[in-house]
Amino acid sequence: MDFYTRLTANVIFPLHERLKRHTTVDVHRDMERTQWLAPEPLRELRLQNLKRFLSDVERHVPYYRQLFRRLGFVPAELDSLADLRRLPLMGKPDIRAHTEALKADNAVGLSRFNTGGSSGEPLIFHIGKQRVSHDVAAKWRATRWWGVDIGDPEMVIWGSPIELGAQDRIKLIRDQLLRTRLLPAFEMSPAKLDGFIRDIRTRRPRMLFGYPSALAHIADHAGKTGEKLDDLGIKVAFVTSERLYDHQREKIEAAFGCPVANGYGGRDAGFIAHQCPAGGMHITAEDIIVEIIDRDGRVLPNGQAGEIVVTHLATRDFPFIRYRTGDVGVLGDELCPCGRGLPLLREIQGRATDFVIAQDGTVLHGLALIYVLRDLPGVASFKIIQNSPDSTTVQIVRNRDYRPDAEAIIVREFKKRLGAGVSVGIEYLDEIAREKSGKYRYVVSHVAP
Ligand SMILES: [Zn+2]
């Protein structure tokens, strides 16, 4: 770690956070210790945090004060994390309907946020200073797992309009101090990509941060143009916000000569989990309780796939309690070999839109259907649209290797996976649009390169 990184991590960044009235430094110091707690003391710490949080919410958040009263729910009397199940799940429509009543009457530093989301329906919500401090502290801790720290030169390949809109003078100064440089991920013409690669070569960052698709795209381009990026001393590539596919991981690792560290979370749900070098996807357990539920909202045991629901204990200013993320994942029972006691998300299978649902309700990864088409000769590209659990449409662009028996194979294999009573329609097109349509419930699209 060089002098500037030490200066930043120990002086500049803590000062920056204090000026913003964030408690990040204290929260981070505690998190560095509590990550090593054994399961039992960690559970006790989480229970205390949960009780304190819910008691605070009961006193100050009108929506929950009423709800708790109606349910006879007394936070001070909780005796296990599972008691949380007595509270209802919270979806995006609930937040939309009660935005004002969800604000604490003594909220500190609320900022308004807006997520687009894959459904296309925006969600407006608020984040207080406590929550920012905790999410930044959790990110800081996860950064340090990889032998890098705040202040190490970083390149951020990002495209959230919120982030880019905030690129004002103050933010630019901050980014310079923290040695962070932003490359806009949604401007990826070949000429821009050449520029990115030159930029990365000149600045020699210690870490990269971005969407897996964007980093893989840069990796591809470097491969095509023969530019080397694996000799710059990059220690790690942090990816988040999208499902990370194995082929992307391989590409990024090969091109930049560093491991890929996957992170899972969102502006709405918080810094939920992050991978450590031993491979475990550690939940930010001090602050976040993760539950996995089935389609009817019942909590599933560890090891089973279902929707990820989070309760964020640092959201007293605008609570996220049993918030449905729309993502599908699996909780693990095992401990990570790295020795941290933080529990593991064994799998994050991606957004709900990456999934299809069989007639009997089984959740299948879209790959189960994609493989059927990918293995057929003559299929140039395709898109699978599940209109409902009973009806699926497959759009195909054929070439001359396409065989007459392919249609029967598709119908047979799809019925095997989705259910015998499912109707499978096949359409032949000249071209398949790349953009996802928000019109359908489940869209799996795969456009071959
Ligand atoms: Zn670990």
Side-chain angles (χ1 to χ4, degrees):
M1 208 177 274
D2 67 17
F3 171 73
Y4 190 86
T5 301
R6 284 206 308 275
L7 180 71
T8 308
N10 297 324
V11 181
I12 298 175
F13 182 68
L15 185 64
H16 171 267
E17 290 297 296
R18 224 177 38 229
L19 289 172
K20 292 189 86 170
R21 295 172 187 274
H22 291 165
T23 55
T24 311
V25 175
D26 295 336
V27 175
H28 173 251
R29 195 181 41 235
D30 286 347
M31 281 184 172
E32 286 286 346
R33 179 180 59 83
T34 51
Q35 65 183 332
W36 302 108
L37 287 176
E40 197 36 55
L42 183 60
R43 197 157 29 237
E44 185 52 31
L45 171 76
R46 301 174 84 195
L47 179 60
Q48 293 313 319
N49 288 351
L50 176 65
K51 281 163 90 160
R52 194 180 318 122
F53 166 63
L54 292 176
S55 301
D56 194 5
V57 164
E58 181 182 40
R59 271 194 299 279
H60 293 290
V61 180
Y63 175 81
Y64 280 106
R65 190 184 310 136
Q66 280 183 18
L67 180 77
F68 290 1
R69 197 176 300 153
R70 203 166 65 234
L71 296 173
F73 183 85
V74 183
E77 291 172 2
L78 294 190
D79 37 43
S80 87
L81 295 178
D83 286 344
L84 195 52
R85 296 175 195 180
R86 289 167 47 204
L87 296 175
L89 295 163
M90 182 198 247
K92 293 181 172 73
D94 302 311
I95 296 181
R96 266 184 219 116
H98 304 287
T99 311
E100 284 310 306
L102 281 166
K103 290 180 186 168
D105 56 22
N106 59 353
V108 179
L110 280 188
S111 316
R112 183 174 178 276
F113 283 90
N114 183 343
T115 60
S118 50
S119 65
E121 267 192 277
L123 175 70
I124 291 163
F125 59 96
H126 299 271
I127 287 184
K129 285 210 188 287
Q130 183 198 38
R131 157 122 187 227
V132 175
S133 303
H134 280 251
D135 286 350
V136 173
K139 186 181 175 207
W140 189 2
R141 170 170 74 180
T143 303
R144 288 167 49 88
W145 291 345
W146 293 85
V148 286
D149 207 335
I150 286 181
D152 278 320
E154 177 183 30
M155 292 209 111
V156 175
I157 296 97
W158 201 248
S160 154
I162 296 166
E163 303 283 341
L164 296 178
Q167 279 298 96
D168 55 23
R169 238 180 100 71
I170 305 288
K171 182 98 190 306
L172 283 173
I173 293 168
R174 194 206 81 157
D175 286 352
Q176 257 162 32
L177 281 173
L178 300 183
R179 298 201 282 185
T180 293
R181 178 160 168 87
L182 184 82
L183 301 176
F186 293 149
E187 298 170 25
M188 290 240 182
S189 64
K192 289 263 186 203
L193 284 166
D194 289 338
F196 285 3
I197 290 169
R198 268 198 309 276
D199 233 4
I200 294 169
R201 286 208 58 86
T202 312
R203 299 182 68 93
R204 308 178 76 89
R206 296 266 285 170
M207 51 192 174
L208 303 171
F209 180 91
Y211 306 107
S213 61
L215 290 179
H217 201 52
I218 296 174
D220 266 344
H221 190 75
K224 276 184 209 141
T225 57
E227 290 275 3
K228 268 177 77 68
L229 291 166
D230 60 358
D231 56 347
L232 303 174
I234 299 172
K235 299 258 291 194
V236 55
F238 295 108
V239 298
T240 189
S241 217
E242 292 173 346
R243 179 179 158 79
L244 167 66
Y245 292 96
D246 289 341
H247 69 269
Q248 292 172 325
R249 182 189 282 277
E250 286 159 19
K251 250 182 219 167
I252 298 167
E253 291 188 342
F256 296 102
C258 69
V260 170
N262 195 12
Y264 169 61
R267 280 208 170 275
D268 49 353
F271 194 89
I272 300 172
H274 204 281
Q275 208 168 27
C276 80
M281 193 79 186
H282 290 283
I283 295 170
T284 310
E286 299 93 335
D287 284 342
I288 293 181
I289 294 166
V290 175
E291 298 170 277
I292 303 294
I293 59 166
D294 68 11
R295 276 207 305 176
D296 301 318
R298 282 184 301 249
V299 175
L300 292 168
N302 292 357
Q304 285 189 33
E307 185 177 349
I308 298 172
V309 168
V310 298
T311 299
H312 193 317
L313 307 183
T315 57
R316 51 99 48 217
D317 298 303
F318 190 92
F320 278 74
I321 298 173
R322 305 200 79 208
Y323 173 68
R324 301 179 68 148
T325 62
D327 297 329
V328 174
V330 179
L331 277 173
D333 278 321
E334 64 279 11
L335 282 174
C336 183
C338 74
R340 292 180 182 86
L342 303 172
L344 301 177
L345 255 181
R346 194 182 294 162
E347 276 176 61
I348 300 152
Q349 299 172 340
R351 309 298 305 187
T353 43
D354 287 338
F355 292 81
V356 289
I357 297 189
Q359 259 186 327
D360 65 4
T362 309
V363 178
L364 299 171
H365 196 278
L367 284 171
L369 302 181
I370 288 171
Y371 286 152
V372 174
L373 286 142
R374 217 184 50 182
D375 295 338
L376 283 175
V379 176
S381 65
F382 62 85
K383 183 169 188 170
I384 302 161
I385 302 158
Q386 192 173 37
N387 311 301
S388 74
D390 299 317
S391 150
T392 293
T393 304
V394 187
Q395 298 175 335
I396 295 173
V397 178
R398 294 172 283 189
N399 62 30
R400 66 178 114 71
D401 300 327
Y402 194 76
R403 292 203 304 246
D405 63 348
E407 226 174 271
I409 295 173
I410 294 168
V411 173
R412 188 187 70 215
E413 294 301 315
F414 272 44
K415 281 176 185 272
K416 217 188 266 173
R417 290 161 176 78
L418 296 173
V422 169
S423 88
V424 181
I426 296 176
E427 293 172 8
Y428 297 104
L429 304 177
D430 292 325
E431 198 188 28
I432 287 170
R434 272 175 185 269
E435 64 278 355
K436 278 187 182 175
S437 161
K439 211 166 91 195
Y440 304 102
R441 246 184 103 200
Y442 306 105
V443 179
V444 176
S445 67
H446 176 90
V447 182

